[in-house]
Amino acid sequence: MPLELKEIIAARLGENYELHHKHLNRTLVAAQRVIGFDKVYARAEGAYLYDMDNRAYLDFLSGYSVFNVGRNHPVVKKAIRDVLDLDLPNMVQMDCSLLSGLLAEAITKRTPPHLDAVFFCNSGTEAMEGALKFARAATQRKRVLSLESAFHGLSLGSLSLMGCESFTEGFGPLMDEWDTRISLDDIDSLGRELAKRDVAAFVIEPVQGKGCKYPKGDFYQRAQELCRKHGTLLICDEVQTGLGRTGKMFGFEHWNLEPDIITLAKTLSGGYVPCGAIVARRDIYQKTFSRMDRCVVHSTTFGRNNLAMACGLAALEIIDDEKLIENAARMGEMLIQRIDALRTKHSFIKEVRGKGLIIAIEFHEPTEFKLKMAWKLLHKVDKVLFAQMVVTQMLSKHRILTQVAGHAMDVVKILPPLIIGEKEVDLFVAALDDVLTDCRKFPGPMWEIGQNFVRAAMGNKRATPQQPATPVASV
Ligand code: PLP
C-alpha cells in the first residue's frame, strides 16, 4: 500500500498537540496552551493560515521570516514539481550540479560585485558557523566580536556569540574567544577590542531580530572602517534581513556597507525546503578551500540539494517579478506611520521602529494611574507579559498571528510576508487599536489573560527556579 498522505491528514488532523505531547517537545505544547496558541491550522495561502473550520488567520510572523513570498506560492510549487518530474540526479556529491551553479549565479547577481563566492548549507545557524570558520581560516585569528542582544542561531558556535542567558543557560562552556559583546553605538569599546588585532570577525545583524534594534547614527560605517584598519572581517548576518525583508535586497544596504561575508537562509528557498548560504569575497573563500586536499574541508551532505536550489531560484524570481522589495518598503512605512499614530491614544506604546517589514512595537508603563498599577503587577513577574498579553489577544480575538520579540523586552515584533497590501495593514492596525483599547479597561478581560500568565509563570517558577517565568518568548 502506498502512503496515502491526504487520507492520513484528513483522518488525523486535530491530533497535533496530543502527538507532540507524547512524542516531541511537550514543554512547548504546554506553553502554547497557556498563551492560547494551540490552534490547528489546516491550510495556508499567501498571507493567511486557515483552521479546520476554514477561518482565516492573518500571518504577521511568516514562520519567522521564512515566507517572504507568501505561503504555498505557485511558482515555488511548480519548481518543486519540475525537479521531481525531471528525475534529476540529486546530491551525487562528486560532481558539480547545475542547479546549485545557477542559484549561486542568481544570488551573486544580486550581491555587490565583491561578494562573488557562494557556499550552500541548510540553515541560518549553519551559515553562521561556516562564515565564522571562513573568517578564522582567512585571518588566522581566533576571536569574534558580536553585538549585545544579537541572535545568530542556536548551535554552539552561534550561541557563543549571544549574551542572552535564556538561550545559553545550561549549555556551557561556550567559545571563550567569542564572548566579547559590544553595545550598539559603543564605537570606543569596539575600537579598543579591534586594536588588539586578534579579532577574526565582527558580526552584526543589520537590524537585530530581537527587538529590531539598529544604530541611529553612523556606528556601522565607523565599525566597518575600524574593521578594515585592524584586519578584521565584517560579517553581516542577513539570515532574517536578507532578500527584501527590510525594504532593500540586503539589510546592510541601509548603511551602504561593504561586508566581507554575508549569510542567508530562511526565505532563500521560498519556505519549502531548508536552504542556507554563505556569500563571501573569493579571496576569503579560497583561504578555506586552499589546497586540493582541503576541497571539502567544509561541507554538508544536503547543502546543494536540487529541491532547495530550485526553490531558491523560484524565490529570487518571485521577489523580482512581484516587486516585493518595493512593496516591503512601502507597506513597512505605512505600518510604522499608522501604528505610531496610535501612540497619542494609547500611552502603552513607547516606540515603533523598524525597516521595511521587520517592525517592533515597544511598550512602556502607561500614564493612567489605574493602569500603572496593573502594569507594575505584571512586570513584577516578567517584563514580557504585557507584550505576550497583546499577542495572545491579537490571535484569539482578531486571528492575527504575531510574536513577542525576545526575553525581557516589552516588544511585539511583526514580520508579515512581503506580499501584504493595504487591506492587511488596515486589519492589523484596527486590531491593535482594539486590543490596546481593551487593555485600558482595568479590571477587564485583557488583564485576566495577564493574570493567567502570572499564575502559569509562578507555577513555572516554583517548578524550576532557574527558568524565566515567561511561557514563550522567541526571537
Ligand atoms: N541569524 C539570524 C539573524 C536569525 O534570525 C536566525 C533565526 O532566527 C538565525 C541566524 C538562525 O537561523 P536558523 O534558525 O535557520 O538556524
Side-chain angles (χ1 to χ4, degrees):
M1 273 285 284
L3 181 72
E4 296 294 349
L5 209 50
K6 278 186 190 166
E7 284 172 24
I8 294 172
I9 289 175
R12 301 198 59 184
L13 193 69
E15 291 179 34
N16 311 30
Y17 292 87
E18 208 181 305
L19 285 167
H20 278 245
H21 175 79
K22 211 164 167 186
H23 304 293
L24 288 98
N25 182 351
R26 61 177 56 167
T27 315
L28 179 60
V29 172
Q32 284 173 334
R33 286 192 169 134
V34 169
I35 63 171
F37 269 44
D38 50 341
K39 309 279 178 209
V40 177
Y41 300 108
R43 178 170 82 76
E45 193 182 331
Y48 293 90
L49 297 155
Y50 296 86
D51 66 14
M52 290 168 80
D53 299 319
N54 209 25
R55 284 179 306 193
Y57 292 71
L58 180 56
D59 177 14
F60 263 37
L61 184 51
S62 309
Y64 299 147
S65 201
V66 167
F67 295 101
N68 284 13
V69 303
R71 288 175 185 267
N72 293 317
H73 196 291
V75 175
V76 188
K77 279 163 77 170
K78 181 177 178 305
I80 292 177
R81 289 199 179 106
D82 285 350
V83 169
L84 298 180
D85 290 347
L86 285 165
D87 284 332
L88 292 177
N90 197 8
M91 293 182 289
V92 177
Q93 311 292 10
M94 294 311 289
D95 75 334
C96 286
S97 69
L98 177 64
L99 289 179
S100 51
L102 291 176
L103 183 57
E105 180 184 70
I107 290 173
T108 51
K109 266 190 194 152
R110 290 158 173 86
T111 51
H114 71 283
L115 292 175
D116 57 351
V118 182
F119 178 91
F120 286 115
C121 54
N122 309 285
S123 69
T125 198
E126 207 188 323
M128 287 309 299
E129 300 278 346
L132 295 164
K133 281 174 75 181
F134 284 15
R136 275 187 157 184
T139 60
Q140 293 295 302
R141 294 176 177 185
K142 285 188 186 157
R143 291 180 69 211
V144 176
L145 302 178
S146 54
L147 285 172
E148 273 170 15
S149 315
F151 186 89
H152 296 293
L154 297 179
S155 53
L156 283 175
S158 306
L159 201 56
S160 301
L161 300 176
M162 288 154 43
C164 180
E165 258 193 48
S166 320
F167 286 116
T168 57
E169 188 201 323
F171 300 119
L174 302 176
M175 302 274 294
D176 277 349
E177 291 92 349
W178 297 4
D179 74 352
T180 308
R181 270 162 290 276
I182 306 294
S183 305
L184 202 59
D185 290 327
D186 186 356
I187 199 71
D188 294 338
S189 298
L190 179 67
R192 270 195 302 278
E193 292 300 330
L194 292 177
K196 296 176 187 166
R197 299 189 75 88
D198 59 356
V199 179
F202 176 46
V203 185
I204 60 170
E205 297 154 85
V207 178
Q208 292 191 328
K210 274 167 81 177
C212 303
K213 292 183 191 151
Y214 50 86
K216 299 275 184 293
D218 61 356
F219 172 74
Y220 283 161
Q221 292 93 329
R222 292 176 68 195
Q224 175 173 278
E225 263 171 47
L226 285 170
C227 283
R228 286 191 179 152
K229 181 172 164 198
H230 296 296
T232 296
L233 302 180
L234 178 65
I235 300 180
C236 282
D237 176 347
E238 294 274 358
V239 166
Q240 185 149 192
T241 49
L243 308 179
R245 168 62 55 195
T246 68
K248 295 201 185 272
M249 179 57 85
F250 302 106
F252 66 75
E253 292 173 29
H254 289 279
W255 292 269
N256 295 318
L257 299 176
E258 288 177 359
D260 301 290
I261 303 177
I262 64 169
T263 52
L264 301 170
K266 291 195 185 273
T267 203
L268 178 55
S269 74
Y272 274 93
V273 189
C275 185
I278 305 165
V279 193
R281 284 184 3 223
R282 173 57 73 185
D283 59 318
I284 292 170
Y285 193 96
Q286 288 310 123
K287 292 270 171 44
T288 287
F289 304 105
S290 53
R291 303 184 306 262
M292 292 270 190
D293 63 308
R294 284 176 62 89
C295 66
V296 287
V297 72
H298 186 70
S299 65
T300 172
T301 306
F302 280 88
R304 290 164 291 159
N305 78 85
N306 281 337
L307 284 179
M309 300 297 104
C311 288
L313 286 166
L316 292 178
E317 196 177 285
I318 297 164
I319 290 169
D320 289 350
D321 287 355
E322 298 185 9
K323 302 202 176 346
L324 294 186
I325 299 179
E326 295 83 338
N327 193 57
R330 225 158 21 92
M331 292 302 130
E333 209 169 297
M334 194 181 291
L335 265 167
I336 289 173
Q337 265 176 18
R338 292 198 42 200
I339 301 168
D340 195 55
L342 295 178
R343 261 189 322 139
T344 49
K345 197 168 160 194
H346 304 294
S347 67
F348 294 109
I349 302 179
K350 178 182 176 195
E351 190 189 19
V352 188
R353 59 176 174 269
K355 298 248 179 233
L357 286 173
I358 175 168
I359 298 172
I361 307 156
E362 182 161 0
F363 300 107
H364 63 175
E365 193 173 302
T367 48
E368 298 88 335
F369 179 70
K370 249 200 320 189
L371 297 179
K372 268 179 188 289
M373 277 170 29
W375 173 274
K376 281 193 173 122
L377 215 68
L378 215 53
H379 281 71
K380 256 192 192 154
V381 181
D382 196 308
K383 250 193 122 179
V384 85
L385 290 188
F386 181 80
Q388 186 64 67
M389 198 167 95
V390 171
V391 161
T392 289
Q393 191 72 339
M394 288 293 281
L395 187 66
S396 52
K397 188 169 178 191
H398 295 280
R399 299 205 296 268
I400 298 180
L401 185 62
T402 54
Q403 70 172 138
V404 170
H407 300 91
M409 281 186 199
D410 241 318
V411 176
V412 171
K413 188 167 98 180
I414 55 173
L415 292 166
L418 311 190
I419 57 168
I420 59 162
E422 285 184 38
K423 177 186 153 200
E424 284 74 27
V425 172
D426 288 346
L427 281 171
F428 180 83
V429 176
L432 183 68
D433 187 11
D434 179 62
V435 167
L436 293 177
T437 303
D438 285 349
C439 288
R440 299 221 306 269
K441 295 169 197 149
F442 177 76
M446 270 303 280
W447 295 94
E448 272 165 36
I449 296 176
Q451 267 178 1
N452 287 340
F453 291 163
V454 171
R455 259 179 239 124
M458 296 310 277
N460 193 21
K461 261 192 169 164
R462 268 198 297 276
T464 49
Q466 313 306 341
Q467 277 184 4
T470 327
V472 175
S474 45
V475 243

